[in-house]
Amino acid sequence: MRKPWLAILLFALCFGAPTMAQERVALNVIISDQRRDKSRQAPVVLALHAQFSSAKAFRARSGLDRVAREMGIIVAYPQAGPDGWAATGAANVVPLIAALRKDPRTKDQPVILIGHSDGGDLALRIACKAPQQLAGLGIVATKLTKATQCARAKPLPAIFIHGTADPIAPHGGNASQLSAGETIEAWIARNRCRADVRVTRLARTASDAFSA
């Protein structure tokens, strides 16, 4: 996909200590346990795939298994239902997070929720409604919807990655979504952070045609 992209990164410097389990939930989940030492507990990343994708495809394309091996963490890839996350929704994912927090492998360890596109939209809604379940948030290629209510709460570390040429979740927003900048501003307000902005531009390389 040879389009100009802009990576907007936002980190909040407050890190909580949420935590993983064997309770039954309504979702099919691929668990990738990359710990070298299985006796040690590990943090877990819960990765929500995009619409028209799948848990298996997200696992193959995201590179999260490689990161998990390097960092000794566990990644959970839930599969949305046939009608996607809009139908599967927070009612199933929030219990999954609670189950993961109880698992002996990750008890008392952080749970970080990430999502791509529609998965990112659901991740944002969960983070706004149930932030106490999470220690961090990662959002790729989506923005806050204008209908999402996200009141100020305990700061939740987050990273947002947006593409300037995104045709589905436009960088400048649309009738239903905030712009990338407005999404960042909303999270700054939610986290009660200072509105300092640092922009880093990465060198364009011949091999990937991406810039940030």
Side-chain angles (χ1 to χ4, degrees):
M1 185 182 296
R2 295 183 175 274
K3 295 180 178 179
W5 287 73
L6 173 67
I8 300 179
L9 310 182
L10 170 68
F11 296 94
L13 300 180
C14 313
F15 203 82
T19 51
M20 190 171 169
Q22 297 171 3
E23 296 182 7
R24 287 184 177 272
V25 294
L27 298 174
N28 291 322
V29 184
I30 299 171
I31 300 293
S32 179
D33 186 346
Q34 302 292 329
R35 295 173 299 160
R36 291 184 176 89
D37 182 354
K38 303 297 186 184
S39 68
R40 296 176 64 90
Q41 293 175 327
V44 60
V45 171
L46 180 58
L48 306 182
H49 64 79
Q51 189 176 19
F52 308 123
S53 184
S54 66
K56 184 177 179 180
F58 197 18
R59 181 184 186 186
R61 297 183 62 185
S62 66
L64 286 171
D65 277 12
R66 175 181 54 80
V67 175
R69 282 192 297 273
E70 293 173 355
M71 300 186 67
I73 63 176
I74 295 171
V75 185
Y77 303 89
Q79 174 64 52
D83 297 320
W85 292 119
T88 308
N92 287 320
V93 176
V94 171
L96 172 59
I97 295 171
L100 295 175
R101 294 183 66 192
K102 298 175 184 177
D103 192 285
R105 293 170 288 180
T106 59
K107 188 173 177 61
D108 299 324
Q109 295 295 306
V111 173
I112 298 171
L113 180 63
I114 69 173
H116 177 212
S117 191
D118 275 11
D121 175 68
L122 178 57
L124 278 167
R125 288 189 280 121
I126 290 172
C128 288
K129 293 181 178 181
Q132 71 280 2
Q133 299 275 11
L134 304 172
L137 179 68
I139 302 299
V140 180
T142 195
K143 288 80 179 172
L144 271 171
T145 65
K146 294 178 180 179
T148 299
Q149 300 296 316
C150 204
R152 290 187 178 187
K154 181 180 178 180
L156 183 66
I159 179 171
F160 295 83
I161 303 174
H162 301 300
T164 57
D166 190 332
I168 298 174
H171 192 69
N174 56 26
S176 62
Q177 290 184 319
L178 299 177
S179 69
E182 289 168 337
T183 297
I184 299 300
E185 290 171 3
W187 207 260
I188 287 173
R190 181 225 172 272
N191 274 9
R192 302 187 299 277
C193 295
R194 295 187 309 167
D196 296 343
V197 176
R198 182 179 64 189
V199 177
T200 302
R201 295 197 172 275
L202 305 181
R204 185 185 294 270
T205 64
S207 61
D208 62 17
F210 287 89
S211 62

